[in-house]
Amino acid sequence: SHGNKEVFSCRGILLAVQWFWDRGHKDITVFVPSWRKEQPRPDVLITDQHILRDLEKKKIVVFTPSRRVGGKRVVCYDDRFIVKLAHESDGVVVSNDTYRDLQNERPEWKKFIEERLLMYSFVNDKY
């Protein structure tokens, strides 16, 4: 949302990570589809990709798998990665997604998502 739904803003990820880091949270994982490492196309803009590489080196960003099949990109369902890790590590999910489909998939995830989903917004560069 930092890129106003016009561009994928890696700086927005950094601002969110920094907000939690400044408050003493050190066990932070950000899942990003691996295709976000590719050269951006005019219809899929991305800014400051170097931030993703820097955060990956610090073991904060984890890239979820994707591949090309017959010229089309096939991506995994990264929502499942997010909820599973947060549930198993007694963490918090930071997202504006309500994960309704996953709530219906597993009863323990429903309660977890209801209690541990932290929604957010940006005002310019303020998280």
Side-chain angles (χ1 to χ4, degrees):
S1 65
H2 183 255
N4 293 323
K5 298 183 180 173
E6 296 169 10
V7 62
F8 184 85
S9 170
C10 300
R11 180 166 163 66
I13 291 173
L14 180 60
L15 290 169
V17 167
Q18 192 64 53
W19 191 90
F20 286 97
W21 192 265
D22 290 348
R23 283 152 184 78
H25 302 283
K26 303 301 182 206
D27 187 10
I28 300 170
T29 303
V30 178
F31 287 104
V32 177
S34 62
W35 62 268
R36 293 286 186 189
K37 292 192 275 188
E38 297 172 7
Q39 184 69 29
R41 298 186 336 232
D43 60 327
V44 187
L45 297 175
I46 183 168
T47 57
D48 300 314
Q49 279 178 303
H50 68 278
I51 291 171
L52 295 181
R53 289 188 294 277
D54 293 344
L55 290 174
E56 181 183 29
K57 287 177 190 167
K58 294 176 182 171
K59 299 189 185 300
I60 293 173
V61 162
V62 174
F63 289 100
T64 57
S66 68
R67 59 193 172 109
R68 289 208 169 271
V69 176
K72 292 191 174 198
R73 181 181 298 125
V74 177
V75 297
C76 70
Y77 187 53
D78 56 359
D79 289 359
R80 193 170 280 111
F81 281 84
I82 295 164
V83 173
K84 185 176 189 303
L85 176 65
H87 183 259
E88 289 175 355
S89 62
D90 198 29
V92 172
V93 174
V94 178
S95 177
N96 289 334
D97 188 334
T98 58
Y99 302 100
R100 289 202 195 286
D101 55 331
L102 293 178
Q103 287 186 45
N104 295 329
E105 189 174 297
R106 297 180 71 177
E108 65 271 23
W109 284 2
K110 178 176 176 41
K111 183 173 179 5
F112 178 80
I113 292 166
E114 287 172 352
E115 295 174 358
R116 296 294 188 98
L117 177 62
L118 179 62
M119 298 180 124
Y120 67 92
S121 62
F122 283 97
V123 177
N124 299 316
D125 278 351
K126 292 192 187 296
Y127 177 80

